[in-house]
Amino acid sequence: MGELAIPLAALIIAASSLLMAGVSNRQKANESYVQRLEREVSALRAEVAVCKQEVEDCKRECQNCERRYSDLQRDYIALVARRGE
Amino acid sequence: MRRTTPWILWWATGVHAVLGLTLLMYPPAASIAILVGLTVFASNLSYLAFAALLILASVSAAWALAHESHMRRGWILVHLFPQYFLVLTGLLSNSYILAVGEFNGRPFEFWTALAGLWPVMLAAILHTAGVLERYFLRWAN
């Protein structure tokens, strides 16, 4: 029994240190996963801000076009009315 | 971070594989287990069980080392466990022999014994350091 105490002790040390390594790795892996997610979220937020700006630009361009169209339509109507006189 | 090749883990794999195969081919060779500090298994297990343990440990560790890039990390540790257990047994066995000052009832001169047992003890220390450094300190890079 005394002789078998050595492999038993080795078994306990090996199991506990590998278990510790596994647990520590899991914690580190979770931390780095959270950090990666946070980086991705902030990158997506920046992308959303750029998209919002683009939408605003498009809206402004659209309003300009509508204004120009209604001006042209008014001119056209005026021209047709003048010809009819 | 750069990952280095864990040569000391491969060293143990090679030692256990050769010893296991030698036992299968020539069972009386069990007495040379003293060279790796595993006399306790040679005297308490059948040669077949001892050889199976050695070969299982080396194949399992080699499998983990060769496939670690696409293995789940918990599984790598499970595969390394038998070999880690064997080298720790060698370290503790040799330390015990040095502490009590005799082997198989025969006393010996401490420094001579230390010089003889130290290579395996040192390899076990390096193996432990290698496992902990690789899988405890630097994982999750």
Side-chain angles (χ1 to χ4, degrees):
Chain A
M1 181 58 205
E3 208 182 13
L4 292 180
I6 289 172
L8 191 66
L11 192 74
I12 292 167
I13 295 171
S16 55
S17 59
L18 290 186
L19 204 66
M20 222 163 64
V23 170
S24 147
N25 169 64
R26 182 164 286 241
Q27 280 170 350
K28 282 183 189 170
N30 285 344
E31 279 166 21
S32 69
Y33 179 63
V34 168
Q35 282 164 357
R36 203 177 67 224
L37 283 182
E38 279 170 354
R39 268 201 307 276
E40 275 174 27
V41 165
S42 64
L44 283 175
R45 277 194 184 133
E47 217 171 309
V48 166
V50 170
C51 285
K52 272 184 182 165
Q53 188 59 47
E54 275 176 7
V55 167
E56 289 304 316
D57 291 347
C58 284
K59 270 184 189 165
R60 225 178 351 259
E61 206 174 326
C62 187
Q63 282 168 353
N64 287 342
C65 283
E66 276 173 352
R67 218 172 4 249
R68 218 171 128 220
Y69 174 71
S70 65
D71 286 351
L72 284 173
Q73 205 172 24
R74 202 175 45 240
D75 289 352
Y76 174 73
I77 291 167
L79 195 65
V80 168
R82 219 178 300 150
R83 274 196 184 164
E85 281 172 1
Chain B
M1 194 182 287
R2 195 171 73 92
R3 287 177 79 88
T4 53
T5 308
W7 294 117
I8 193 70
L9 274 65
W10 280 114
W11 174 89
T13 303
V15 167
H16 294 143
V18 169
L19 185 58
L21 291 173
T22 306
L23 279 181
L24 283 183
M25 290 184 289
Y26 184 63
S31 57
I32 61 170
I34 191 177
L35 294 176
V36 283
L38 296 178
T39 314
V40 62
F41 292 123
S43 52
N44 288 291
L45 293 177
S46 70
Y47 85 93
L48 210 56
F50 186 27
L53 175 63
L54 289 163
I55 291 171
L56 169 87
S58 63
V59 169
S60 172
W63 182 268
L65 292 172
H67 297 92
E68 69 172 11
S69 58
H70 48 271
M71 255 175 105
R72 277 183 56 203
R73 290 171 170 183
W75 272 114
I76 298 175
L77 291 182
V78 170
H79 279 78
L80 286 176
F81 175 76
Q83 175 167 285
Y84 190 35
F85 163 61
L86 288 181
V87 297
L88 276 180
T89 303
L91 176 64
L92 294 180
S93 267
N94 287 358
S95 307
Y96 176 75
I97 291 169
L98 286 175
V100 297
E102 60 170 43
F103 180 66
N104 275 351
R106 268 179 271 166
F108 52 76
E109 201 275 314
F110 177 81
W111 291 105
T112 311
L114 177 65
L117 300 176
W118 180 242
V120 164
M121 294 170 75
L122 180 62
I125 292 167
L126 291 177
H127 188 284
T128 306
V131 168
L132 295 183
E133 186 260 353
R134 191 170 182 80
Y135 302 112
F136 185 67
L137 299 176
R138 296 203 304 171
W139 250 357
N141 291 324

